[in-house]
Amino acid sequence: MKKTLVASALAAVIFVPTASAIEVYKDDKNAVEIGGYVDARVINTQGATEVVNGASRINFGFTRQMTDGWKAFTKLEWGVNPFGNTDIVYNSDSTLESQSGDFLNNRLGYVGLAHDTYGSITIGKQWGAWYDVVYNTNYGFVWDGNASGTYTYNKADGAVNGTGRGDKTVQYRNAFGDFSFALQAQLKQDSFEVDEVPSASNPAFPADFMSAKVAGVNTSDAVTTVEYNYTYGGSATYNVTENLVVTAGFNLGEFEATTSAGKRLTETDSIYGLGASWGNWGGEGVYAAFNVNKQEFHDTDNLGRMMPEAWGLESLASYKFDNGIRTFVSYNILEAGDEYEAAYNGDVFKRQFAVAGVHYVWDTNTVLYLEGRKDFSDFTSTDKAQQAAMEISEDDGIAIGIRYTL
């Protein structure tokens, strides 16, 4: 009985977030499945109405039974963009699509070994351990939370620091009854050069090199060499009851830069937090969740400037009726602290919005949906052009769409 509980819990954490898949082949040793979905939506926001891609994707999973209770497995997932690019940037996946004209883009790719008793180890591009802490509020289809510290560098996929779909990560996971955990190291040696961006208000390294890297600012011929190497993370999950789940975790990294004048600067990227959920998002009845985090040098504002410190909260509540109608509302806030205001001439960064939606779950794999966003953000700046640039991607909006899951 204990071994069955461990196996079930381990299967759940290895493939977070879970998604349905079709088994296309299975024998005594090997199994192959295909999964993903196509999501098309019409969205009105930022003064435009367009047909856009809703993070459509396709993935393949392979599992092989080995000796002594071990199994080997791998998963490959690509984002699919069947509807063309858009200038509207409103979440992490739309950011990727706006930067790439490719039909396919890499989302996940990892290989691993697992055992019911000894746990699992995986290597590759995969969901970070930090996502275990905060996934419980990331169920709205259209607007990502963007306050949980997952999709860092202003709505990217969290690959750089390993909190989202981390590049070059090694993870160990295991479960003991109702308790499971993950440990992660991101083993990489990234080095790149960016144009320095002088800042009279704050010539410190984070503002200089991050605004150049993320926002693509080019105001000088001087060059800064940036190194962003190893990161480390961990998470813990405890199923208190059948309905109540609590989570906690952290992620740490360090980046360095050498300016054209030879000055070497170092900062620590850190985030830690906790979360809790009640119920089952896919089941009938009540589902509620929240997570909260504290971070330093972990994310950027909408201009690509590093935030020395910030705190974030995401919350979600839903009710699914027995006729397939699911209603939900979410509230999210990410607010930079006093150090941010001091660094950027008193500018204020407070990303704050609410989302309400209705999903019609026609069957398990076909959902029609309507979602709307109301923005309450504060991006006050003495530079009005800068303030307008901060506000554009945080507009009110409404979207209607269909998600067809394989």
Side-chain angles (χ1 to χ4, degrees):
M1 180 65 178
K2 180 180 178 182
K3 196 169 185 177
T4 302
L5 287 173
V6 172
S8 300
L10 183 58
V13 297
I14 287 175
F15 298 106
V16 168
T18 57
S20 62
I22 299 172
E23 191 170 74
V24 296
Y25 176 81
K26 186 174 183 179
D27 59 24
D28 292 340
K29 187 176 181 68
N30 299 289
V32 180
E33 62 180 25
I34 183 172
Y37 58 75
V38 175
D39 187 318
R41 61 188 57 149
V42 179
I43 187 170
N44 175 264
T45 188
Q46 300 165 29
T49 301
E50 292 188 10
V51 173
V52 300
N53 178 30
S56 303
R57 65 198 63 176
I58 187 168
N59 58 66
F60 298 89
F62 304 85
T63 304
R64 178 172 298 147
Q65 299 299 324
M66 309 301 288
T67 58
D68 300 319
W70 287 93
K71 67 176 179 180
F73 59 92
T74 186
K75 187 169 186 177
L76 303 170
E77 181 172 277
W78 294 272
V80 182
N81 184 14
F83 309 118
N85 292 345
T86 175
D87 291 330
I88 299 175
V89 175
Y90 56 94
N91 66 24
S92 60
D93 288 286
S94 64
T95 300
L96 182 61
E97 288 157 17
S98 70
Q99 295 173 348
S100 173
D102 296 336
F103 179 73
L104 293 174
N105 55 74
N106 183 32
R107 286 178 58 90
L108 298 171
Y110 58 86
V111 63
L113 295 170
H115 190 280
D116 288 348
T117 301
Y118 304 123
S120 72
I121 185 167
T122 50
I123 303 173
K125 183 175 178 65
Q126 55 194 306
W127 285 102
W130 174 254
Y131 194 63
D132 296 359
V133 182
V134 299
Y135 78 93
N136 54 13
T137 57
N138 198 27
Y139 286 120
F141 287 176
V142 182
W143 283 277
D144 291 334
N146 290 324
S148 66
T150 302
Y151 304 113
T152 51
Y153 301 95
N154 192 28
K155 307 181 181 74
D157 72 346
V160 171
N161 41 22
T163 49
R165 295 186 295 274
D167 289 341
K168 302 180 181 179
T169 58
V170 179
Q171 280 185 10
Y172 174 74
R173 293 177 176 272
N174 209 339
F176 302 94
D178 294 321
F179 174 78
S180 60
F181 70 93
L183 296 173
Q184 172 180 304
Q186 194 175 22
L187 306 179
K188 59 179 186 174
Q189 297 286 336
D190 284 351
S191 179
F192 48 87
E193 293 184 345
V194 298
D195 295 312
E196 293 178 19
V197 181
S199 171
S201 62
N202 178 27
F205 140 75
D208 290 351
F209 92 87
M210 287 311 302
S211 58
K213 177 179 183 294
V214 180
V217 178
N218 187 359
T219 61
S220 173
D221 292 331
V223 172
T224 293
T225 301
V226 180
E227 298 176 11
Y228 201 125
N229 298 324
Y230 305 143
T231 71
Y232 306 93
S235 67
T237 301
Y238 181 57
N239 295 286
V240 181
T241 69
E242 184 177 353
N243 286 315
L244 178 61
V245 179
V246 296
T247 58
F250 71 95
N251 198 83
L252 297 171
E254 188 172 87
F255 46 82
E256 299 180 338
T258 304
T259 69
S260 57
K263 185 177 181 181
R264 192 163 183 84
L265 303 149
T266 303
E267 292 292 351
T268 298
D269 167 352
S270 68
I271 186 170
Y272 56 90
L274 56 86
S277 63
W278 176 272
N280 179 0
W281 169 259
E284 294 179 2
V286 174
Y287 176 82
F290 83 95
N291 55 73
V292 62
N293 71 82
K294 179 69 174 178
Q295 54 182 271
E296 294 183 359
F297 296 105
H298 180 69
D299 206 348
T300 61
D301 66 13
N302 294 353
L303 298 179
R305 301 177 304 185
M306 180 61 75
M307 293 186 287
E309 63 173 350
W311 71 275
L313 175 135
E314 293 189 2
S315 59
L316 174 71
S318 76
Y319 189 89
K320 185 180 178 186
F321 299 89
D322 57 9
N323 61 2
I325 298 292
R326 175 170 57 217
T327 59
F328 79 91
V329 61
S330 64
Y331 168 77
N332 305 283
I333 180 172
L334 177 64
E335 183 174 9
D338 294 339
E339 290 187 20
Y340 174 90
E341 295 186 35
Y344 305 117
N345 283 327
D347 287 2
V348 174
F349 180 87
K350 182 190 290 187
R351 176 184 292 149
Q352 182 176 214
F353 63 94
V355 176
V358 178
H359 295 177
Y360 175 46
V361 186
W362 202 339
D363 63 24
T364 305
N365 297 328
T366 309
V367 182
L368 308 177
Y369 61 89
L370 172 68
E371 295 185 11
R373 165 179 165 141
K374 181 63 179 175
D375 191 70
F376 304 101
S377 299
D378 181 3
F379 302 119
T380 304
S381 175
T382 54
D383 186 329
K384 296 308 176 186
Q386 187 168 276
Q387 179 174 319
M390 292 272 278
E391 292 173 346
I392 189 169
S393 66
E394 307 291 344
D395 198 12
D396 298 343
I398 189 166
I400 186 170
I402 180 172
R403 177 169 292 188
Y404 181 94
T405 303
L406 300 179

